[in-house]
Amino acid sequence: MRHLVLAIAVTGLALVAGCERDTEAPPAAAIEPASASVADGASLGIPMDADSIADGRDIAVHQCSNCHGLDQEASRRTDAPPLRYLLSIYAPESLAEDFRAGIHVGHDDMPDFVFGDLGMDVLLAYLVSIQETPPAP
């Protein structure tokens, strides 16, 4: 049931955002979150199980990867940080609250998204699971 609700939410978001990406998600390497990431997610009340992370990756594939890249990919826009560095720029709690409240986050061209509580939780689970320390400038 959760996957059906998430699929409907992703499809609806793609329509609202005018997303022109392929609906076929690239295969994910097995995502094994680092123990520090799991602790960070758990402290935020985010479900850090493999299904939640995979569901969050599905949202990122359809809503974020066109600009921010996916997993270890580089950003496709200079003003969009790679997803794996995002939580070094934005506190996860603040990012979640802003998205849930519909507050515009990021650069001027970034569309506004409404993920809902479940969508935001699984997207954050994915983001927490892939975080890396950005390289020194």
Side-chain angles (χ1 to χ4, degrees):
M1 178 68 172
R2 189 170 122 230
H3 293 288
L4 176 61
V5 170
L6 189 57
I8 292 168
V10 168
T11 302
L13 286 171
L15 293 173
V16 169
C19 182
E20 296 179 15
R21 288 192 53 89
D22 240 343
T23 56
E24 199 65 32
I31 300 172
E32 292 296 328
S35 58
S37 295
V38 172
D40 292 345
S43 69
L44 297 171
I46 298 169
M48 292 301 297
D49 58 279
D51 286 340
S52 294
I53 292 170
D55 289 346
R57 186 179 187 278
D58 286 344
I59 291 174
V61 164
H62 297 286
Q63 302 300 321
C64 311
S65 65
N66 215 23
C67 296
H68 293 274
L70 191 66
D71 302 325
Q72 299 301 308
E73 292 177 356
S75 290
R76 297 178 181 170
R77 289 181 58 132
T78 57
D79 57 350
L83 291 178
R84 68 184 180 278
Y85 303 144
L86 197 64
L87 299 183
S88 68
I89 300 167
Y90 298 101
E93 307 89 352
S94 298
L95 186 64
E97 288 174 19
D98 290 350
F99 274 131
R100 283 186 178 117
I103 296 171
H104 187 80
V105 177
H107 54 83
D108 291 339
D109 292 338
M110 185 167 158
D112 292 327
F113 297 106
V114 179
F115 294 114
D117 288 342
L118 176 60
M120 192 67 248
D121 284 347
V122 298
L123 179 58
L124 276 175
Y126 169 69
L127 292 175
V128 166
S129 77
I130 64 166
Q131 289 309 289
E132 296 177 6
T133 303

